Amino acid sequence: TRNKKGKYSKKNYGKTIKIGGKTYDYVMIEAAKIATKGTGDGRVSRADARLICKAARPSSDGRSTYDAVEKATMAYIRKTYKFTPAGDKAVRAFIAGQAAKQAQRTKNKKAMK
């Protein structure tokens, strides 16, 4: 991504934000805001849902985990923002798939000990 000066900047995926006294993932909240603004009816579509999923899991190689803050953020996003049926299905499928992969990695890791 580019910063305000037009230079490329690195995203801080560990950044958090406080909303109503609770801590949420900043990048995921920003992705949800971007997904609902602009043209359209203000709902999160399937394509926009991919942005939120990418913010939740920036790398697909298993290095990025889905921790408690990200879980709470996803619950907040699902409660606060409206999704199209396809967008809702895409987010649910992505999270379920990633959770299964993370569980398998954890299981394999424990088996090696």
Side-chain angles (χ1 to χ4, degrees):
T1 60
R2 291 182 185 259
N3 62 15
K4 291 177 182 170
K5 294 178 182 174
K7 297 190 177 187
Y8 285 101
S9 63
K10 192 174 181 182
K11 279 236 183 278
N12 182 1
Y13 286 104
K15 190 174 180 181
T16 58
I17 186 171
K18 289 246 187 211
I19 300 173
K22 293 185 179 178
T23 303
Y24 297 113
D25 188 87
Y26 176 78
V27 178
M28 287 174 68
I29 296 290
E30 287 302 308
K33 286 179 183 176
I34 290 167
T36 56
K37 75 177 183 180
T39 59
D41 55 6
R43 295 188 299 169
V44 179
S45 68
R46 186 174 189 275
D48 295 331
R50 291 177 57 87
L51 277 176
I52 297 169
C53 293
K54 176 72 174 166
R57 279 286 177 93
S59 66
S60 59
D61 60 359
R63 290 182 300 156
S64 54
T65 59
Y66 189 64
D67 62 6
V69 172
E70 289 163 338
K71 190 173 183 178
T73 306
M74 187 59 79
Y76 173 80
I77 289 170
R78 295 185 52 73
K79 185 178 75 173
T80 308
Y81 297 95
K82 288 183 171 42
F83 286 77
T84 62
D88 184 51
K89 187 177 178 182
V91 169
R92 287 180 185 274
F94 177 81
I95 296 303
Q98 293 299 316
K101 288 178 185 176
Q102 185 170 330
Q104 187 61 46
R105 282 192 302 273
T106 302
K107 187 177 176 183
N108 292 345
K109 194 173 176 182
K110 287 183 178 178
M112 289 186 345
K113 287 185 178 182

